[in-house]
Structure formats: structure tokens, C-alpha cells
Amino acid sequence: MAWRFAPFLQPPLFTININPQFSTIFASGKSSSMLNKLLISSSSSSFRYLCKSTKPFFRQSIRVLPMAEQQSSSFSASSQTHKHTNRLASEHSPYLLQHAHNPVDWYPWGEEAFAEARKRDVPIFLSIGYSTCHWCHVMEVESFEDEEVAKLLNDWFVSIKVDREERPDVDKVYMTYVQALYGGGGWPLSAFLSTDLKPLMGGTYFPPEDKYGRPGFKTILRKVKEAWNSKRDTLIQSGEFAIEQLSEALVATSTSNKLSDEVPQTALRKCADHLAESFDSKYGGFGSAPKFPRPVEMQLMLYNSKRSGETGYSGEAKNALKMVLFTLECMARGGIHDHVGGGFHRYSVDECWHVPHFEKMLYDQGQLVNVYLDAFCITKDVYYSSLSRDILDYLRRDMIGPSGEIFSAEDADSYESEGASRKKEGAFYVWASTEVDNIVGEHATLVKDHYYIKPSGNCDLSRKSDPHNEFKDKNVLIERSSTSAMASKHALPVEEYLDILGNARRQLFDARSKRPRPHLDDKVIVSWNGLVISSLARASKILKGEPEGIRFYFPVTGTNPKEYMDVAEKATSFIRKHLYNEQTRRLQHSFRNGPSKAPGFLDDYAFLIAGLLDVYEFGGSVFWLGWALELQRTQDELFLDKTGGGYFNTTGEDPSVLLRVKEDHDGAEPSGNSVSVINLVRLASMVAGEKSKLHRETAEHVLAVFEKRLKDAAVAVPLMCCAADMLAIPSRKQVVLVGVKSSEEFENMVAAAHAAYDPNKTVIHIDPTDAEEVAFWEETNGNIALMAKNNAAADKVIALVCQNFTCSPPVSDPKALESLLSQ
């Protein structure tokens, strides 16, 4: 099995560090500069912990070899009865349920497990993962289903399983610890804790036996047991020291209430320059393999392009835009894009976006839709709008439940056929050349040429694509030439060529649907739903800008854009009904067969507020704006450091969560602090008076906390760079629409208001015939209510564009509004 990284998983190059004075040998990655006071040491060859040693280390590198294929009996289609059942059987998390029949006596995270560890006076083994994690499955098969390993764990430890998607707060504590030690981390996360939950040692995946230069899991368990018996005080002290140091490092504060004046523009430029330097001009993307989509980076480049053009740097604006458009095209043509079923896989193992890690994550889909929508707004090229539809139609077909809830992920692994005893990565998505011949028939030659399908398999475009011949004789669909070039090659009109491809994809889809599907994680996560709610709402109006008569080809369905708003509002209603307490005004984090025990975290509030603002701004009810304001008040009460500035990731109410972090990194998902600043900027432009002033002051203080990060490592916080620039703009543009919302004219005017790409714009709409809506605005912003009163017209929708305390003359034609906004 080729090495397929989870996000942040350390590379398969491990270092053996030997401390001559203490005869210390252990595997690690590079140490973290964030904790440069701490060096890594241990007293045996098989475990790791923090101490205050300052002795130098001798380094020797060992390359880790590929592992054997996964053989997961826990996923076996023929498995009906279970020899073992543990406490996880009563949990709701799909990941925990996957381990409910391991011989390991697993506990869920909670007081029962902690009390048992204290009672038996044994350390805790903590295993963190998620249901679609490939290497989590591997470690389960190799170790957690093994009776010998289970006996060691049951005799010497209290073993706890955590779903990182259900408890990101717990994962954050121990992942931060492992990353601080080794400069990297990943899942499965394996950590050993004291009875008071302090980390003692940690790592990621461990093979069951000693091999590849790394200690095996059984060896580690024995050594941890020995260390607990003979060096307990040292271990516990190191764990306490680690938590103290991490607490200091991860909770920044600011005595200043705002950023230095030069920071917003400088940070935006620095981040854009850094990304431009890392741009891959051959294959698109920023950086080298493995390649992740990282929508926040593309968002920054589009934003910087817009701002550069506005300030006279037209050359820089064009270059930034060109990089993003080329990247979006390369991704869409590559194997990271599911050409047959729509949507995007997690990342590509090679530099050419060809062979992916095949899991599909909801947070990627939502963010990528928005980037493709932005590209369409800028270029008006339906290529990008079709790709937005491609992703959304995949979500509607495969990832939405009966009540409108949106599910979390699809696994990378599946069975090749019914009754197979083991799963393989990508089995659902790859094709043999003969399969395509049999399924597509007369057009097979054209289809195989278009998607680079070969009898020997096509995973040969890079040395990194398939280094261990996992996909021998298999093909991952990729487009190596443009559609127009291929149509010309086959002497066909482009539309006829596209028809043939669309019909072929439908045939392949129907055939693929008969294969065993990858596991669906049907957990509903508020934050990830918020990201998709945003993209659905935006698509409902932006896609109205597509030309009339446009043709769509499978898997794009050609949905009326208005339907996407219906989907967004159903998802929003599900969250309000099932994951929101109207008395406490608090969210729960996730849902599966009922709400999870975990409370809502910062990301849940921030991402959902952003989604609600988009639902409202793109034509939804003012009720959703009211809920966004309510959630923002709750977020400020629960997470805001009112003295030091910035938002914590948790409420701090759970004593079992040892770190309360102010997250700033914009990675696979944006940080809650970055999104919150943008939310506050948007809300400040909708409300009036002291409320508006308070939102801006809160945003300024949040950014002040991260000033050093914006100055020294802007590329780590691309969305925060955008947020800082948005806040620095002295007057945000407002578009106010006044008219009856049930009319088609209203829909067209909202679409016109959003036709151009402009992140520094707020759209407010009010129906003067709706008494409740007028009352809302009279309380929230009397100026809007007054504008509605003065501009009400029975037979048309009026638009006013306001900036710098001045409003344009009213217009009532969508084209006139577009023209006004383009000036």
C-alpha cells in the first residue's frame, strides 16, 4: 500500500535520535520552533516524551517502507456475529462504532474511563481518528483486532477511543502535543496519558511488530508499562511541563486594541508573494506533492487580484488571477476530481493532481464550490460554473439526508466486489481498460483516449503517483488535453464530443453504482454544514448569470439555481431544530441518531454564522440574519477573550480538555478567528450605532492578537490577511434592495447585486409590505427601514448603492444595477 498522507501526517522519513549520554534512541520528526525550549528525549527505544534536556542528538535517517494491504474484518460484508462487544457499541459516532467489536476494552472519552484509570492506577492509551481515515483502519486491523495486543492494552492500560470530528477539542490538545514534539502529526493519533490526562508520550501510526526502523506497537506498550512502573514521576513531570508550555504558546493576547496601520496591506502582499513563489506553473497549485486544494490560498489570491487591480497594480492582479484559474482547471482535469460522480477527493499524492487519496470530505466540497463560483463571477466562463454545479449535484445526490442534513465524508476504501474479505483504497473509483470497453461500447476508444485509459494502467505520470504498483492495470480518469483539442483530434464538433463524454460518464456511473460503495460517515457537523450552506446560497443567485440555453453534461444535472437555496435553508432548519437550544441559545457540535454530547465549538458558530449571512444576503429570509446576530452574541459570550482579545476554540467549561487555544491557522479549513473577523465586518455594515461600533472593535482586537503572525508568517493565515484588509477599508459598499420578495424581479435584482466578484460589499434587502421585516430593521438599523419607506414601489424592486455616507440614485433594472456596481 502506498503511503497516503492524512493532513499533517509526517512523511515516511523518520529520524533515529541517539543521545550518547543517556543511551536514548527513539523515532521522531523535526522539533518545533514554537517550543524551542523543549527538546525531545526518552529512556528507551520505543517511546517519546518532553523533558528539559539540552543535550545534542546524533541523527540517522531510515526510510519507512510501504505497508501491507488493509484487511478489515470489521468491515467484512459477511460478518454477522461478533465475538467481542465493548462500550463503544452504545455510541453514535461511526468511527467509535467501527471499533465496538474489537477485543480491546475501549471506553469513550469521559469520566467513566478516567475514574477507571485512577482506580486501577494505570496510564491511559488514547487513540484518535475518524471513520474515513485509511491508516486508522490499518492500525485497527493490525493491532486493535489482534488478541495479543488487546490483552496487553486491557491488562496494562485504560483504552479510550475518540472521534476527532466529534471531539475536535480533545484532538487539538494531543495533536498539538505530538506536532510540537515532531513537527508533524496525523491520524491515527496514539498517545499515552497520566491518570489526570497529561500527555506522557505520543505518535501516530505504529506497526504491530518492530520493523522499518520503528518500534512496533507491542514493544511500545511493554516499554510504556516499564516506564510507568519505574520512571512515573519523570513522565508525569514532563507531561505537566508540556501542557504548561503549550498553554503559554497557544494563548496569545494583545494589550493593543487594533492592528498597526501598515499590517493589513503588508500582510496581504506578503502572503500573495509567498504563494506566487511556490506556484507550480506546470501543473498548477501552490507547493509540491502531496498537493492539497487549500481553497483559502486561492481565495487570498483572488482577493489580492481584486485589490491590486483597484490600486493600480494591474499586472500583479492579472498574474494572481491567472494562477488561480490555471490551478482550478488543472484540479478539475485531474484525478483528484471525480469525473464520473462529481466532487473532489481529499488531495493528490503526486504533483499533477492525478492519483488522489480517495476520501471525500464535506469541508473541501463547500469551500471549492465557493472558489469556482468566484472564478465564474470574474470570468463569466461557464467552465467554472459547471464545476460548481458538479460538486453541488454530487452533494445533493449522495451526501444529504432525508431531513436536509448534510453528511460528513465518504471513505477512500471499499470492497472490489461483493463478498470480498478486504477493502482496497480507490476500489470504487478506478477502472480497468477492458471494463470501459464493455461498458461504453462503440465510443470506448474515444473515451479512453480522452481520459488517458490504458490496458497497463495510467498511474505513470509521476514517480509519486503509484510507487508500489497498487494500481497496476488500473486507471484513474484524467484529462490531459482540453476538450476542444480532443474534439478536433477526433474530428467532431465540440458539442457532439461533449455529448458522447456525458453519455459515457453516465454509463460508467451506472456500472460503478453496482460496486460496493465506500463507507459513508453520516454524522452531521455544524461547522462543515455551515461551509456548504454558504456555497449553496451563493450558487442560487450567482448561477443565474449563466447564459440562457446553456447545456449541461452528466454528472451535472442542470438544476434551476433557485433549488440550491431550498437545500441551504433545509440544512439550516435541520441545525436549528436538532442542534440548537432556543433557551440557552447554544449549539451542539454534531448529530447522528441524536445530538452529540460535545457542545458547539468556535468553528461551529463562526462557520454557521457565515453561512446564515450568505443565506440572507443571497435572498433568504431576514429570520436567518436575526439568528446570525443571536449566534454572534452567544459566540462572544462563550469564546471571546474580552481582556486579551481573540476567540478561544472552546468554552473552557470541560475540565477534561487541558488546552484552550486561540487558533489562527487557515489550513484545510479556515480558522474560526479568521472567519469571525469577516463575520464581524459584515455584521457591522448591517447594524447601526453602538452595535456596529462594537462589532468593529471586537474584530480589531481579534486581529491585534495575531499581529505578529500576520507580520512574520502571513502565508499561514491567508484568510486572516483578507479579513485584516477588509476591516481596514474605511467604508464598505452597501447594496440596499427594496421590494416584494416573492416576485421574480426581486430574484433578478439580488442576482444582479451579486453578479460581480466583490468581497467588500454587503447586500441588504427589505420588503416594505412585510410588517415583521420592517420592525426588525427599525430595531436593528433604522436607516434601512427609512430607505424602505422612502423608496417603496408597488410594481418594481428598487436598488440603491451606498458608500462613504452617500447613496446612488435608485435603479430598478438588473442590468443598470450591474453597471452601477461595476463602476
Side-chain angles (χ1 to χ4, degrees), residues 303 307 310 725-726 729 732-733 758-762:
Y303 182 87
R307 295 289 286 139
E310 290 171 346
D725 188 78
M726 288 179 186
I729 291 173
R732 187 174 175 87
K733 187 182 295 180
D758 186 1
N760 290 305
K761 170 189 67 193
T762 296

Side-chain angles (χ1 to χ4, degrees), residues 472-504:
K472 187 172 184 276
D473 302 330
K474 299 292 185 180
N475 294 271
V476 178
L477 304 190
I478 182 172
E479 297 175 314
R480 299 188 67 197
S481 299
S482 69
T483 301
S484 58
M486 294 300 291
S488 177
K489 176 181 176 181
H490 287 271
L492 290 170
V494 171
E495 282 210 356
E496 183 180 345
Y497 187 80
L498 288 171
D499 266 334
I500 292 170
L501 288 179
N503 290 331

Side-chain angles (χ1 to χ4, degrees), residues 700-821:
E700 286 170 349
H701 201 183
V702 171
L703 289 171
V705 171
F706 303 109
E707 177 162 340
K708 181 172 174 52
R709 185 80 147 163
L710 286 162
K711 285 180 174 178
D712 299 343
V715 74
V717 289
L719 195 64
M720 190 172 287
C721 292
C722 298
D725 188 78
M726 288 179 186
L727 184 60
I729 291 173
S731 179
R732 187 174 175 87
K733 187 182 295 180
Q734 292 176 311
V735 182
V736 181
L737 303 176
V738 181
V740 178
K741 291 188 177 179
S742 58
S743 66
E744 185 64 28
E745 290 80 4
F746 172 77
E747 292 285 315
N748 292 335
M749 288 294 276
V750 175
H754 292 290
Y757 171 77
D758 186 1
N760 290 305
K761 170 189 67 193
T762 296
V763 176
I764 296 171
H765 45 81
I766 178 169
D767 186 340
T769 66
D770 186 324
E772 286 187 20
E773 194 166 320
V774 171
F776 170 87
W777 284 110
E778 286 175 343
E779 180 182 350
T780 305
N781 188 336
N783 292 330
I784 301 300
L786 185 61
M787 291 171 75
K789 181 180 178 181
N790 293 337
N791 292 277
D795 57 346
K796 55 188 175 182
V797 178
I798 301 297
L800 301 102
V801 178
C802 306
Q803 194 169 22
N804 297 318
F805 308 103
T806 304
C807 292
S808 67
V811 296
S812 58
D813 176 71
K815 292 297 181 185
L817 177 57
E818 286 186 39
S819 176
L820 187 61
L821 289 171

Side-chain angles (χ1 to χ4, degrees), residues 87-88 90-91 96 105-119 124-128 158-163 166-167 169-171 174 193-197 597-599 654-657:
R87 291 167 185 80
L88 302 185
S90 61
E91 294 295 306
L96 299 190
D105 187 16
W106 292 113
Y107 286 76
W109 182 266
E111 182 53 37
E112 182 186 5
F114 311 152
E116 181 68 11
R118 293 193 297 268
K119 175 184 171 184
I124 291 167
F125 170 63
L126 174 64
S127 177
I128 302 178
V158 168
S159 299
I160 298 178
K161 261 286 172 196
V162 167
D163 181 341
E166 190 174 64
R167 292 302 303 261
D169 53 338
V170 175
D171 177 63
Y174 302 104
L193 318 180
S194 65
T195 54
D196 62 353
L197 308 181
K597 299 169 189 174
D654 186 345
S656 72
V657 181

Side-chain angles (χ1 to χ4, degrees), residues 439-459:
I439 293 165
V440 176
E442 65 172 310
H443 296 299
T445 299
L446 179 150
V447 171
K448 290 195 295 182
D449 189 27
H450 184 86
Y451 288 113
Y452 186 58
I453 295 170
K454 304 190 298 181
S456 60
N458 72 353
C459 300

